[in-house]
Amino acid sequence: MNTVKQIDSDDHLVQDMLAIAQSRDQDALNRLFDHYVPKIRAFCLAAQPGANLMADDIAQEVMIRIWRKAHTYKSETASLNTWVFTLARNARIDYLRKNSRHQSDIDPEYLWRDVVDENADPFKDAQQKRDQERIQVGLAKLPQDQQQVLAKVYLEGKTHKEAAEELSLPLGTIKSRVRLALHKLTIYIKR
């Protein structure tokens, strides 16, 4: 029974998206706002608990993007949820990039130095430290071009397409280098 209601609700949301795309329907935007803003905020807060202002800014930006880009949504390509949360992911990355220039002189190591983890597991900690060391050694063994691509995608949070544009390489080359580098890292870590 819940499944039927969910499908009907999703159909209604898609209809609202189409109404925005076709006739700039503000009531439809209000309904999407009521439905998605709490979910987008939760998505942001799951990644960065306590960052309420950031979550609000990102939710607002996503709704602006929905208003501006509603005409680009294609239901045959992706579900509405997937499309909206792709917008949310990209807005979060943009927000973090834009605001990363505001650096603090406070050393985070200093802040957390005296905090004791009550759930500490020395075996898990030792395993994690060993894995980190293996990853660092494995990364150092990779060719420079593969290191560069992994850094763009996993450390800077870039999409494959963004990495391709920044490095002036074909998208397929980026994907191949990431796949090859991850395969090599897996081998290095298992040793």
Side-chain angles (χ1 to χ4, degrees), residues 41-56:
R41 288 189 85 256
F43 167 75
C44 294
L45 291 171
Q48 287 183 283
N52 290 309
L53 291 176
M54 179 194 74
D56 290 340

PDB file of all heavy atoms in Angstrom, residues 41-56:
ATOM      1  N   ARG A  41      18.538  19.383   3.164  1.00  0.00           N
ATOM      2  CA  ARG A  41      19.203  19.793   4.410  1.00  0.00           C
ATOM      3  C   ARG A  41      19.754  18.560   5.129  1.00  0.00           C
ATOM      4  O   ARG A  41      20.875  18.563   5.624  1.00  0.00           O
ATOM      5  CB  ARG A  41      18.238  20.547   5.326  1.00  0.00           C
ATOM      6  CG  ARG A  41      17.914  21.940   4.831  1.00  0.00           C
ATOM      7  CD  ARG A  41      17.123  22.750   5.856  1.00  0.00           C
ATOM      8  NE  ARG A  41      18.082  23.360   6.789  1.00  0.00           N
ATOM      9  CZ  ARG A  41      18.325  22.937   8.024  1.00  0.00           C
ATOM     10  NH1 ARG A  41      17.674  21.917   8.519  1.00  0.00           N
ATOM     11  NH2 ARG A  41      19.215  23.544   8.779  1.00  0.00           N
ATOM     12  N   ALA A  42      18.963  17.495   5.204  1.00  0.00           N
ATOM     13  CA  ALA A  42      19.416  16.267   5.863  1.00  0.00           C
ATOM     14  C   ALA A  42      20.632  15.679   5.136  1.00  0.00           C
ATOM     15  O   ALA A  42      21.580  15.206   5.764  1.00  0.00           O
ATOM     16  CB  ALA A  42      18.282  15.246   5.921  1.00  0.00           C
ATOM     17  N   PHE A  43      20.598  15.725   3.810  1.00  0.00           N
ATOM     18  CA  PHE A  43      21.727  15.250   2.999  1.00  0.00           C
ATOM     19  C   PHE A  43      22.994  16.026   3.355  1.00  0.00           C
ATOM     20  O   PHE A  43      24.056  15.451   3.552  1.00  0.00           O
ATOM     21  CB  PHE A  43      21.363  15.426   1.519  1.00  0.00           C
ATOM     22  CG  PHE A  43      22.497  15.292   0.553  1.00  0.00           C
ATOM     23  CD1 PHE A  43      23.028  14.053   0.241  1.00  0.00           C
ATOM     24  CD2 PHE A  43      23.042  16.419  -0.065  1.00  0.00           C
ATOM     25  CE1 PHE A  43      24.074  13.937  -0.659  1.00  0.00           C
ATOM     26  CE2 PHE A  43      24.075  16.313  -0.964  1.00  0.00           C
ATOM     27  CZ  PHE A  43      24.597  15.061  -1.262  1.00  0.00           C
ATOM     28  N   CYS A  44      22.888  17.341   3.463  1.00  0.00           N
ATOM     29  CA  CYS A  44      24.047  18.178   3.792  1.00  0.00           C
ATOM     30  C   CYS A  44      24.507  17.959   5.219  1.00  0.00           C
ATOM     31  O   CYS A  44      25.702  17.879   5.493  1.00  0.00           O
ATOM     32  CB  CYS A  44      23.714  19.657   3.575  1.00  0.00           C
ATOM     33  SG  CYS A  44      23.417  20.077   1.857  1.00  0.00           S
ATOM     34  N   LEU A  45      23.560  17.868   6.131  1.00  0.00           N
ATOM     35  CA  LEU A  45      23.909  17.709   7.541  1.00  0.00           C
ATOM     36  C   LEU A  45      24.473  16.320   7.839  1.00  0.00           C
ATOM     37  O   LEU A  45      25.241  16.151   8.786  1.00  0.00           O
ATOM     38  CB  LEU A  45      22.702  18.004   8.428  1.00  0.00           C
ATOM     39  CG  LEU A  45      22.281  19.475   8.435  1.00  0.00           C
ATOM     40  CD1 LEU A  45      20.956  19.653   9.158  1.00  0.00           C
ATOM     41  CD2 LEU A  45      23.358  20.352   9.046  1.00  0.00           C
ATOM     42  N   ALA A  46      24.130  15.328   7.024  1.00  0.00           N
ATOM     43  CA  ALA A  46      24.716  13.997   7.206  1.00  0.00           C
ATOM     44  C   ALA A  46      26.208  14.043   6.914  1.00  0.00           C
ATOM     45  O   ALA A  46      27.007  13.365   7.567  1.00  0.00           O
ATOM     46  CB  ALA A  46      24.022  12.981   6.294  1.00  0.00           C
ATOM     47  N   ALA A  47      26.601  14.855   5.940  1.00  0.00           N
ATOM     48  CA  ALA A  47      28.011  14.972   5.580  1.00  0.00           C
ATOM     49  C   ALA A  47      28.757  15.892   6.546  1.00  0.00           C
ATOM     50  O   ALA A  47      29.937  15.680   6.814  1.00  0.00           O
ATOM     51  CB  ALA A  47      28.153  15.495   4.152  1.00  0.00           C
ATOM     52  N   GLN A  48      28.067  16.920   7.051  1.00  0.00           N
ATOM     53  CA  GLN A  48      28.705  17.883   7.949  1.00  0.00           C
ATOM     54  C   GLN A  48      27.724  18.262   9.053  1.00  0.00           C
ATOM     55  O   GLN A  48      27.060  19.291   8.970  1.00  0.00           O
ATOM     56  CB  GLN A  48      29.174  19.113   7.188  1.00  0.00           C
ATOM     57  CG  GLN A  48      30.387  18.821   6.346  1.00  0.00           C
ATOM     58  CD  GLN A  48      30.896  20.055   5.649  1.00  0.00           C
ATOM     59  OE1 GLN A  48      30.320  20.469   4.657  1.00  0.00           O
ATOM     60  NE2 GLN A  48      31.966  20.618   6.177  1.00  0.00           N
ATOM     61  N   PRO A  49      27.630  17.417  10.092  1.00  0.00           N
ATOM     62  CA  PRO A  49      26.687  17.699  11.175  1.00  0.00           C
ATOM     63  C   PRO A  49      26.942  19.078  11.791  1.00  0.00           C
ATOM     64  O   PRO A  49      28.078  19.491  11.978  1.00  0.00           O
ATOM     65  CB  PRO A  49      26.972  16.589  12.196  1.00  0.00           C
ATOM     66  CG  PRO A  49      27.623  15.505  11.404  1.00  0.00           C
ATOM     67  CD  PRO A  49      28.379  16.193  10.306  1.00  0.00           C
ATOM     68  N   GLY A  50      25.856  19.786  12.079  1.00  0.00           N
ATOM     69  CA  GLY A  50      25.969  21.087  12.712  1.00  0.00           C
ATOM     70  C   GLY A  50      26.132  22.249  11.752  1.00  0.00           C
ATOM     71  O   GLY A  50      26.071  23.404  12.159  1.00  0.00           O
ATOM     72  N   ALA A  51      26.324  21.974  10.479  1.00  0.00           N
ATOM     73  CA  ALA A  51      26.533  23.036   9.487  1.00  0.00           C
ATOM     74  C   ALA A  51      25.186  23.510   8.950  1.00  0.00           C
ATOM     75  O   ALA A  51      24.897  23.417   7.758  1.00  0.00           O
ATOM     76  CB  ALA A  51      27.440  22.542   8.376  1.00  0.00           C
ATOM     77  N   ASN A  52      24.353  24.047   9.839  1.00  0.00           N
ATOM     78  CA  ASN A  52      22.993  24.439   9.466  1.00  0.00           C
ATOM     79  C   ASN A  52      22.962  25.551   8.427  1.00  0.00           C
ATOM     80  O   ASN A  52      22.138  25.521   7.513  1.00  0.00           O
ATOM     81  CB  ASN A  52      22.210  24.858  10.703  1.00  0.00           C
ATOM     82  CG  ASN A  52      21.900  23.670  11.592  1.00  0.00           C
ATOM     83  OD1 ASN A  52      21.392  22.672  11.124  1.00  0.00           O
ATOM     84  ND2 ASN A  52      22.234  23.780  12.864  1.00  0.00           N
ATOM     85  N   LEU A  53      23.824  26.542   8.567  1.00  0.00           N
ATOM     86  CA  LEU A  53      23.832  27.636   7.591  1.00  0.00           C
ATOM     87  C   LEU A  53      24.220  27.130   6.212  1.00  0.00           C
ATOM     88  O   LEU A  53      23.631  27.526   5.208  1.00  0.00           O
ATOM     89  CB  LEU A  53      24.784  28.748   8.039  1.00  0.00           C
ATOM     90  CG  LEU A  53      24.335  29.541   9.266  1.00  0.00           C
ATOM     91  CD1 LEU A  53      25.409  30.537   9.675  1.00  0.00           C
ATOM     92  CD2 LEU A  53      23.020  30.247   9.004  1.00  0.00           C
ATOM     93  N   MET A  54      25.219  26.247   6.166  1.00  0.00           N
ATOM     94  CA  MET A  54      25.617  25.668   4.895  1.00  0.00           C
ATOM     95  C   MET A  54      24.454  24.884   4.288  1.00  0.00           C
ATOM     96  O   MET A  54      24.157  25.013   3.102  1.00  0.00           O
ATOM     97  CB  MET A  54      26.826  24.743   5.070  1.00  0.00           C
ATOM     98  CG  MET A  54      27.255  24.094   3.759  1.00  0.00           C
ATOM     99  SD  MET A  54      28.390  22.706   3.964  1.00  0.00           S
ATOM    100  CE  MET A  54      27.276  21.457   4.561  1.00  0.00           C
ATOM    101  N   ALA A  55      23.784  24.080   5.104  1.00  0.00           N
ATOM    102  CA  ALA A  55      22.663  23.272   4.613  1.00  0.00           C
ATOM    103  C   ALA A  55      21.555  24.168   4.063  1.00  0.00           C
ATOM    104  O   ALA A  55      20.978  23.873   3.008  1.00  0.00           O
ATOM    105  CB  ALA A  55      22.139  22.373   5.733  1.00  0.00           C
ATOM    106  N   ASP A  56      21.269  25.264   4.766  1.00  0.00           N
ATOM    107  CA  ASP A  56      20.245  26.200   4.281  1.00  0.00           C
ATOM    108  C   ASP A  56      20.654  26.837   2.961  1.00  0.00           C
ATOM    109  O   ASP A  56      19.847  26.950   2.033  1.00  0.00           O
ATOM    110  CB  ASP A  56      19.991  27.302   5.318  1.00  0.00           C
ATOM    111  CG  ASP A  56      19.288  26.786   6.560  1.00  0.00           C
ATOM    112  OD1 ASP A  56      18.663  25.708   6.492  1.00  0.00           O
ATOM    113  OD2 ASP A  56      19.369  27.471   7.599  1.00  0.00           O
TER     114      ASP A  56
END
